[in-house]
Amino acid sequence: MKIFIILGSGNSGAGAIHDYLASREDFLCPFKGKEFRLVNDPDGIDDLFNAFYNYFSINLTADKFERFNKFTKNIYYSNYNIKYKILDKKFLVLTKNFMKKIIQIEYNGSPRFFFDKMSLFNKVNFYLKRFLLGKSSKNIELLKMIIPVNQEDFLNECEKYLYEIFKLNNEFDKKKNIVLEQGGNFFKPIESTKYYGSNREIILVTRDPKAIFWSMKRRQSLAYPGHDIELFVKWYRAIMKNANFNEENKITHIKYENFFSDFSNQKKILCTKLNLDPDIKDNFNLEFTKKNLFKFEKNLSDSEKEFINDHLKEYV
């Protein structure tokens, strides 16, 4: 079993590549075709790792540990998860066990930054317990102060934790490959996916920026500047300067339009590179994808297309 992680910059067509692999008989998507954000979103695993090892401080590790705890509960109880049933209820038990295993030392505490953020009610409650009831601070549940395990142990526990999450899917089969969409950071593809272990493949998907702009504009995306073409061009150029395509031996780069315009040949090339059987049966809806492939040509004005071509010609 290998883990295939599909990464895109947003509205890039990464979902279509994911859907092709997920439709093959030798693949499983554990999350019903939805994005897997546990690693890459703020307060996720990658954030936790950076706080523990790249920017370690006693207060930061405690804060990020608490935020990770809240983050996992929030995604489990979110309307999105309730609607699509992406994560099984055992996810919270696995998370609790994982959090125990990545701690070397722990104790209750209340650093100044934490105390300053407490609500008035919680402050009064703390003073009552501490001074009126005479409780020791170590027996008052405040912020869990922690020192993490060493980095190697952390990464080992991450790999086991993620594998156990995949196994919660009732169709899990260790003989099948796992495919994940947005399971890491598009701009740091190698570094942000180390939590899955070494047996992984990373696929980066890029798309004609005109198609990206049209997708943002059509969807009125709240996270992206699809309402202003000049802002979009500045934004796209700025983010792509952070994209790391230097380690070509470790990643596979797919250009969305090229791949699906010549699907039969490109599929064979991709499968050869990834050591997959190109003849494995799939139920991928190619015609649906092709219908959306060049919609931007009809839906953007000539001036919009020309503006993007002129200012982002190296990405077109």
Side-chain angles (χ1 to χ4, degrees), residues 119-144:
S119 67
L120 179 60
F121 175 81
N122 287 337
K123 285 180 182 178
V124 170
N125 190 39
F126 167 73
Y127 282 126
L128 286 174
K129 289 179 179 178
R130 178 79 184 272
F131 299 110
L132 188 63
L133 300 179
K135 278 193 172 185
S136 169
S137 59
K138 68 180 181 179
N139 296 321
I140 302 175
E141 189 171 337
L142 296 164
L143 178 66
K144 190 184 291 291

Side-chain angles (χ1 to χ4, degrees), residues 251-269:
I251 62 175
T252 298
H253 178 200
I254 290 177
K255 293 186 177 181
Y256 177 78
E257 286 84 8
N258 293 353
F259 187 81
F260 288 111
S261 293
D262 185 25
F263 182 67
S264 180
N265 289 325
Q266 291 299 319
K267 179 176 70 170
K268 290 177 183 177
I269 293 170

